[in-house]
Amino acid sequence: MPRPIHFEIHVANAERAAAFYRNVFGWTINKWEGPWEYYLIQTGEGPGIDGALVGRRGEEPVEGQPVNAWVLTMDVPSCDYAVAEITKQGGTIALPKMAIPGIGWLAYGKDTEGNIFGVMQNDPTAK
């Protein structure tokens, strides 16, 4: 059964956001050495999941909106199957399947209520 494995907080300024979350929650946040700007978050020891700060794509959120959310990513055995199932069940694809080099395959879906979530297939050979 797929379980949450990762979350992403979309930000306009990663350094500012990193300072905020370090100070508020004591998280360890370090820049990833991959091909784009991405900051890995370690939320602590024991049960729970870790995440990342990633540059926001598109427009800035509008003040007063009821929710500006984080993206939660689910561990799936097959990204292709998950993408097909998302659309079969009435959802849409917000970000097509892409390789995260050395990590795996990632896509973002949008559920029937407009909520965005990620699906990730582990594959260290992804390029």
Side-chain angles (χ1 to χ4, degrees):
M1 177 179 305
R3 297 188 60 175
I5 58 166
H6 185 75
F7 65 86
E8 289 180 334
I9 304 171
H10 290 237
V11 300
N13 182 314
E15 288 294 334
R16 179 178 62 208
F20 174 83
Y21 287 105
R22 284 181 189 121
N23 291 326
V24 171
F25 297 121
W27 291 350
T28 301
I29 303 174
N30 294 301
K31 189 170 187 302
W32 181 50
E33 297 302 323
W36 58 83
E37 188 174 48
Y38 199 77
Y39 289 73
L40 296 171
I41 299 171
Q42 293 176 299
T43 60
E45 300 296 322
I49 63 173
D50 293 327
L53 300 174
V54 61
R56 181 177 283 120
R57 295 181 184 186
E59 297 181 24
E60 291 296 313
V62 176
E63 192 62 37
Q65 287 182 335
V67 175
N68 290 313
W70 300 355
V71 174
L72 180 70
T73 300
M74 304 295 286
D75 179 28
V76 297
S78 167
C79 194
D80 291 330
Y81 178 82
V83 165
E85 196 63 20
I86 290 165
T87 57
K88 178 181 172 185
Q89 298 302 322
T92 59
I93 301 306
L95 178 69
K97 176 184 162 186
M98 61 186 255
I100 307 299
I103 305 294
W105 299 97
L106 172 71
Y108 282 0
K110 194 179 280 190
D111 70 13
T112 57
E113 311 311 305
N115 299 305
I116 293 178
F117 60 95
V119 291
M120 165 82 64
Q121 174 188 339
N122 180 37
D123 181 358
T125 66
K127 293 181 186 177

